[in-house]
């Protein structure tokens, strides 16, 4: 409960104390109208088409600039946000920023999609649809917003999650299956999901060149996705050879450090300008498919 937060018990180890401090900070940060909102920032990482070597989207990834701890990675605090009932508020903030930036890129002449991650808890709470209805009331066409969820996050309550997914798709938003290949979902799931995008997890992309079985799994996944009418995005592409191999086996898009790390919004906007005006060097696109 809120009341106990921040009361230090000398019996707790340092790590547990730090977790408690983070929870207290998160409550402060995500309180409605919190003045310390700048501590939470949304970074963007580009997604590049392998066919045209153009940027076609960006994923919003949250970063916490903690006053004492520096940058806290999402993996260190996303679960805390969820466990403390604060995820709706975090998601609302990220969606809001993602929409604002996507409109800004559009005004600068870049017609990009923007992707936002949804947690398991988001899919079983009504707040999410309210946030999305606010988006619908604004300027951004819903097809330009991609909502990413993992197979595992759908397992919390499959029936309710599926209903939420349908409600999202009915509103015209795009749905993406994130970290594909790491969950335990059955193939029948893929058939039921109103998803238009599948993101192959980094763990497969990393082993693509070294492991024949991984390569076969990725090839099979690409074929399956295409047959189901979905596009395929490879996550965690770090080198040109992997990019080339992905192109050769028919992958549609790549996202990874090869193109750019996730960037703060001003840096991302500048990166986009440099890339499209050709004032800087960028990794070459894959060579034409043999
Ligand atoms: P994700 O959605 O699978 O995001 C991709 C992660 O891979 C990001 O980590 C990104 O920085 C990292 N990445 C991208 N390219 C490369 C690469 O070439 N090499 C390597 N080694 N890593 C790469 P990040 O930003 O630390 O986020 C981790 C996870 O936290 C995300 O995984 C997502 O599940 C979650 N997350 C991030 N932002 C949000 C958010 O706003 N809401 C929710 N619910 N979850 C979020
Ligand atoms: Mg994601
Ligand atoms: Mg992912
Ligand atoms: Mg991931």
């Amino acid at each position: 409960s809120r009341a106990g937060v921040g009361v230090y018990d000398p019996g707790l180890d340092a790590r547990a104390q730090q977790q408690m401090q983070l929870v207290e900070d998160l409550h402060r940060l995500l309180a409605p109208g919190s003045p310390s909102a700048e501590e939470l920032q949304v970074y963007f990482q580009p997604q590049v088409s392998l066919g045209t070597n153009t940027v076609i989207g960006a994923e919003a990834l949250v970063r916490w600039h903690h006053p004492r701890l520096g940058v806290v990675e999402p993996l260190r605090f996303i679960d805390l946000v969820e466990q403390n009932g604060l995820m709706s508020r975090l998601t609302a903030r990220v969606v809001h920023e993602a929409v604002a930036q996507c409109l800004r890129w559009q005004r600068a002449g870049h017609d990009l999609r923007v992707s936002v991650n949804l947690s398991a808890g988001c899919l079983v709470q009504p707040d999410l649809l309210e946030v999305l209805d606010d988006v619908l009331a604004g300027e951004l066409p819903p097809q330009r917003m991609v909502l990413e969820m993992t197979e595992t996050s759908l397992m919390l309550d499959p029936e309710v999650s599926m209903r939420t997914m349908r409600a999202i798709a009915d509103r015209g938003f795009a749905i993406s299956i994130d970290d594909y290949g790491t969950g335990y979902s059955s193939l029948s799931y893929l058939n039921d999901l109103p998803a238009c995008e599948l993101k192959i997890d980094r763990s497969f992309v990393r082993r693509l060149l070294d492991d024949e079985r991984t390569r076969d799994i990725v090839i099979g996944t690409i074929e399956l996705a295409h047959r189901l009418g979905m596009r395929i995005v490879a996550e965690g592409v770090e080198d040109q050879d992997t990019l080339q191999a992905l192109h050769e086996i028919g992958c549609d898009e790549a996202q990874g450090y090869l193109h750019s790390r996730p960037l703060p919004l001003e840096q991302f906007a500048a990166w986009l300008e440099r890339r499209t005006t050709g004032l800087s060097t960028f990794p070459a696109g894959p060579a034409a498919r043999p």
Side-chain angles (χ1 to χ4, degrees), residues 12 52 79 114 146 156 171 209 241 255:
L12 289 177
T52 62
D79 285 349
V114 70
V146 182
L156 185 65
R171 282 163 170 76
L209 298 178
D241 289 347
Q255 177 181 344

Side-chain angles (χ1 to χ4, degrees), residues 21-285:
Q21 182 63 54
L22 288 181
V23 170
E24 184 179 12
D25 292 340
L26 283 170
H27 275 286
R28 168 178 55 79
L29 215 56
L30 290 165
S34 162
S36 40
E38 321 82 66
E39 278 181 43
L40 278 183
Q41 291 187 15
V42 182
Y43 281 34
F44 292 92
Q45 186 179 34
Q47 298 169 330
V48 176
S49 160
L50 295 180
T52 62
N53 197 30
T54 53
V55 185
I56 41 176
E59 179 174 4
L61 294 158
V62 73
R63 294 288 180 271
W64 183 3
H65 291 255
H66 192 282
R68 276 178 302 101
L69 302 172
V71 176
V72 184
E73 296 294 321
L75 293 180
R76 267 185 72 200
F77 70 90
I78 286 290
D79 285 349
L80 292 179
V81 172
E82 184 101 298
Q83 286 154 18
N84 288 277
L86 296 165
M87 188 52 90
S88 302
R89 291 198 199 135
L90 177 67
T91 304
R93 287 222 194 150
V94 176
V95 165
H96 183 79
E97 190 69 60
V99 168
Q101 294 306 312
C102 194
L103 289 170
R104 169 190 180 184
W105 307 328
Q106 186 180 313
R107 282 193 297 273
H110 310 288
D111 285 325
L112 307 192
R113 303 185 303 250
V114 70
S115 302
V116 172
N117 290 284
L118 298 181
S119 70
C122 278
L123 294 173
V124 297
Q125 278 166 9
D127 318 41
L128 175 67
L129 293 177
E130 288 172 28
V131 170
L132 294 181
D133 284 337
D134 287 346
V135 175
L136 281 183
E139 281 175 71
L140 190 77
Q143 310 81 276
R144 298 279 292 279
M145 173 161 264
V146 182
L147 297 161
E148 296 189 359
M149 49 207 95
T150 65
E151 303 158 89
T152 312
S153 73
L154 298 169
M155 297 296 156
L156 185 65
D157 184 341
E159 212 170 301
V160 175
S161 302
M162 195 64 89
R163 217 181 303 138
T164 306
M165 297 259 284
R166 295 232 170 79
I168 293 171
D170 287 346
R171 282 163 170 76
F173 295 99
I175 291 175
S176 172
I177 308 301
D178 202 354
D179 301 346
Y180 186 75
T182 60
Y184 296 98
S185 67
S186 69
L187 286 173
S188 71
Y189 242 93
L190 265 189
N191 197 33
D192 296 336
L193 292 173
C196 62
E197 178 182 283
L198 205 124
K199 298 185 81 171
I200 309 178
D201 192 67
R202 188 166 80 229
S203 54
F204 295 95
V205 173
R206 201 174 41 213
R207 294 196 306 261
L208 185 70
L209 298 178
D210 306 329
D211 184 51
E212 211 165 308
R213 288 178 69 86
T214 299
R215 188 181 150 90
D216 288 340
I217 290 169
V218 173
I219 289 172
T221 305
I222 292 171
E223 184 172 324
L224 178 66
H226 283 166
R227 280 182 187 248
L228 294 171
M230 299 186 214
R231 65 171 174 261
I232 281 262
V233 182
E235 298 191 293
V237 179
E238 295 186 357
D239 61 88
Q240 189 72 38
D241 289 347
T242 301
L243 186 80
Q244 181 67 37
L246 285 163
H247 183 55
E248 283 168 14
I249 60 181
C251 184
D252 302 300
E253 297 173 17
Q255 177 181 344
Y257 294 171
L258 173 67
H259 292 104
S260 172
R261 288 183 178 257
L263 297 172
L265 36 98
E266 294 308 328
Q267 281 182 43
F268 181 80
W271 182 91
L272 257 187
E273 290 309 319
R274 286 203 314 277
R275 172 149 181 136
T276 41
T277 52
L279 291 179
S280 182
T281 48
F282 291 95

